[in-house]
Amino acid sequence: LLPTNPEEKVIFIPHSSLFNVPFPALQDKDGKYLIEKHTIITAPSIQVLDSTRKLQEKGINTKDILVVGNPTMPIIGEPPPPLPPLTHAEEEAKVIASRYNVQPFIGNQATEAKITQLMPNARIMHFATHGILDDNRGIGSYIALAPSEDENGRLTPSEDKDGRLTAEEIFDMKLNAQLVVLSACDTGRGRITGEGVIGLSRSLVAAGIESLIVSLWNVDDEVTGSFMGEFYNQWDKTGNKAQALRQAMLTTMKTHPDPRYWGAFTLIGEDD
């Protein structure tokens, strides 16, 4: 029943634990990966698919490009477990920012206060940082950013801008972006309920995002940088996010055949 044209999209609307399935990496009886034969999109529900389509039809009236890479990591826990710096993510952010002729937010520049101020005016957002999963509440999942600065320019975690941009905080934002890429670990996961996954992906859709790319497991820092570069190359060529993601997977597969390097990422929402 699936289309024979590999450029025709197949939309999966998973249920329950199927939200954790990397559909591009499933194999047929001949050992062919599904992504080799089909262009794949995921949607949490028919309602979400409808809402992202309406957002696309409404059009995007923002134009800024927001790129974040390897922020100074927030202090978490008692004692705080370290979040290691992501040197390859920093390079990834610089390469993508240069493509759009913008300055990336790196290290101390990528404070939660600054980034959340810029997010409502961004057409494209790319976060190359840690993604921390909360599989208990879901809405506690967060994107790691730098804590806010005090009046002397020193990084000081505060209750509301501690460097953890949570799904709960994103739910309350009003965003209007064509694409958000969470180039981080576990950003597509969360607490699974009867209504789908409660986490970063659901909160971004609720905030008004047309489409987003998230991951289902801990991704390789170095390989992900080249993977994302290839995705943007293909998107510039085709203007289609789903086809661009597929080509990035096929290209990465040539040098890193193991699906753990390329199969984690999934596109949610609209492909154009």
Side-chain angles (χ1 to χ4, degrees), residues 69-109:
N70 193 25
T72 300
M73 295 302 166
I75 299 170
I76 56 174
E78 291 293 341
L83 284 177
L86 301 168
T87 54
H88 293 294
E90 181 171 332
E91 185 59 32
E92 172 187 331
K94 290 177 179 177
V95 169
I96 291 169
S98 66
R99 169 185 297 278
Y100 294 104
N101 198 27
V102 298
Q103 285 296 319
F105 289 86
I106 306 290
N108 291 358
Q109 299 172 327

Side-chain angles (χ1 to χ4, degrees), residues 6 19 37 42 84 98 107 110 138 145 179 225 227-228 236:
F19 276 100
K37 302 167 69 174
T42 302
S98 66
L145 298 171
L179 175 67
F227 178 94
M228 288 299 171
D236 284 347

Side-chain angles (χ1 to χ4, degrees), residues 123-193:
R123 178 174 65 88
I124 297 171
M125 292 182 254
H126 186 98
F127 294 91
T129 181
H130 285 290
I132 305 301
L133 169 68
D134 169 21
D135 56 6
N136 182 27
R137 294 172 59 243
I139 57 176
S141 300
Y142 66 87
I143 303 166
L145 298 171
S148 299
E149 297 177 350
D150 64 15
E151 62 275 8
N152 297 316
R154 292 175 297 196
L155 293 173
T156 55
S158 60
E159 184 177 348
D160 58 338
K161 299 299 179 189
D162 58 1
R164 294 179 293 181
L165 179 56
T166 66
E168 187 171 17
E169 292 170 313
I170 294 171
F171 261 117
D172 294 329
M173 300 178 75
K174 293 193 184 311
L175 305 176
N176 188 29
Q178 181 182 13
L179 175 67
V180 174
V181 177
L182 300 183
S183 181
C185 300
D186 291 320
T187 51
R189 297 177 64 201
R191 184 170 69 89
I192 296 178
T193 71

